[in-house]
Amino acid sequence: DTAVSQTPKYLVTQMGNDKSIKCEQNLGHDTMYWYKQDSKKFLKIMFSYNNKELIINETVPNRFSPKSPDKAHLNLHINSLELGDSAVYFCASSQASGPLAETQYFGPGTRLLVL
Amino acid sequence: SQQGEEDPQALSIQEGENATMNCSYKTSINNLQWYRQNSGRGLVHLILIRSNEREKHSGRLRVTLDTSKKSSSLLITASRAADTASYFCATSRYNTDKLIFGTGTRLQVFP
């Protein structure tokens, strides 16, 4: 069974389009994250949600809007895609937030290419 | 930038040799974690060391932490071709679940 799953795995789209990436975890975790990994492999957190509530928003452009319908799902919607949005986007989850947050479990990634 | 630095950026060794990767960070931490990323895949957690610990072992992995120097090292003993991957350190500060990742070390183990 896949613990953290993301769809789609690959996404190729034109500049200016709007797209969504979905993430689901079956680990029963309270906290979910979105990370962006650029072409140089730098991995940076974008958002964190705990029990459907936004905890971390790392000065990401407001074209990116996360949505958590329930604590097992965290989707990422991107409006007006730009070339610089091309990257691999990883979803992750962990058991608790705050000072007890520890291991994060990552999804396989969504490779986004904006043409 | 808050991002940690890893050293070396790339490392090539023969099977059976040991591989050592170093990580330096900038702020006080609650814990430091090491993750592995195989090519084209997600990150997999390897080991976590808390700020009050100095050394931790897990199988062929040995992690050290020196909070006075704000640095950590990951040693993989008796490396295997299957250890070929990128290795990232990540730090967690108190009262936050935000992980700050290092720049990664690409390890290539030749059979």
Side-chain angles (χ1 to χ4, degrees):
Chain A
D1 284 344
T2 305
V4 183
S5 58
Q6 295 178 229
T7 54
K9 191 171 181 182
Y10 298 97
L11 186 52
V12 181
T13 188
Q14 297 286 335
M15 222 167 40
N17 283 350
D18 303 338
K19 290 292 178 186
S20 291
I21 308 171
K22 294 186 176 181
C23 177
E24 176 181 0
Q25 54 95 4
N26 63 7
L27 298 167
H29 286 168
D30 298 312
T31 308
M32 295 184 72
Y33 313 81
W34 277 109
Y35 287 87
K36 178 181 180 181
Q37 187 174 43
D38 64 21
S39 58
K40 294 183 180 177
K41 303 294 185 186
F42 292 153
L43 193 69
K44 192 169 180 187
I45 190 164
M46 300 173 69
F47 299 103
S48 163
Y49 267 73
N50 178 257
N51 276 322
K52 305 194 296 176
E53 205 175 309
L54 181 65
I55 303 296
I56 295 171
N57 181 342
E58 284 291 301
T59 59
V60 177
N62 58 15
R63 297 183 297 103
F64 290 79
S65 51
K67 283 188 173 52
S68 182
D70 55 62
K71 76 173 194 175
H73 295 84
L74 181 62
N75 304 324
L76 184 64
H77 187 76
I78 316 170
N79 288 326
S80 304
L81 278 154
E82 300 177 356
L83 295 177
D85 297 333
S86 295
V88 183
Y89 292 84
F90 287 100
C91 177
S93 70
S94 66
Q95 192 158 9
S97 63
L100 298 178
E102 297 188 355
T103 302
Q104 293 189 16
Y105 295 79
F106 282 77
T110 294
R111 283 139 194 86
L112 171 65
L113 178 60
V114 182
L115 302 174
Chain B
S1 164
Q2 293 177 284
Q3 195 144 27
E5 300 264 337
E6 290 187 57
D7 166 57
Q9 286 189 329
L11 180 61
S12 294
I13 58 174
Q14 294 291 131
E15 252 188 342
E17 292 180 338
N18 295 343
T20 299
M21 289 159 261
N22 302 298
C23 166
S24 60
Y25 56 91
K26 298 180 181 179
T27 61
S28 59
I29 61 170
N30 177 36
N31 66 62
L32 184 144
Q33 304 178 38
W34 286 89
Y35 286 80
R36 183 185 73 223
Q37 183 179 30
N38 288 82
S39 180
R41 310 288 273 281
L43 281 78
V44 174
H45 180 261
L46 295 176
I47 195 165
L48 179 153
I49 186 165
R50 300 189 186 282
S51 60
N52 60 354
E53 297 175 312
R54 291 297 166 257
E55 189 170 314
K56 206 158 183 183
H57 297 254
S58 176
R60 293 184 296 113
L61 305 181
R62 174 179 166 251
V63 168
T64 61
L65 179 64
D66 186 336
T67 51
S68 65
K69 293 182 180 176
K70 292 188 170 57
S71 67
S72 172
S73 67
L74 171 68
L75 168 68
I76 304 174
T77 59
S79 64
R80 304 167 182 167
D83 294 329
T84 294
S86 291
Y87 291 81
F88 294 88
C89 67
T91 54
S92 170
R93 299 183 69 179
Y94 289 97
N95 297 318
T96 175
D97 51 7
K98 179 170 132 177
L99 283 181
I100 305 294
F101 279 85
T103 49
T105 293
R106 289 185 306 281
L107 174 66
Q108 174 86 50
V109 181
F110 291 100

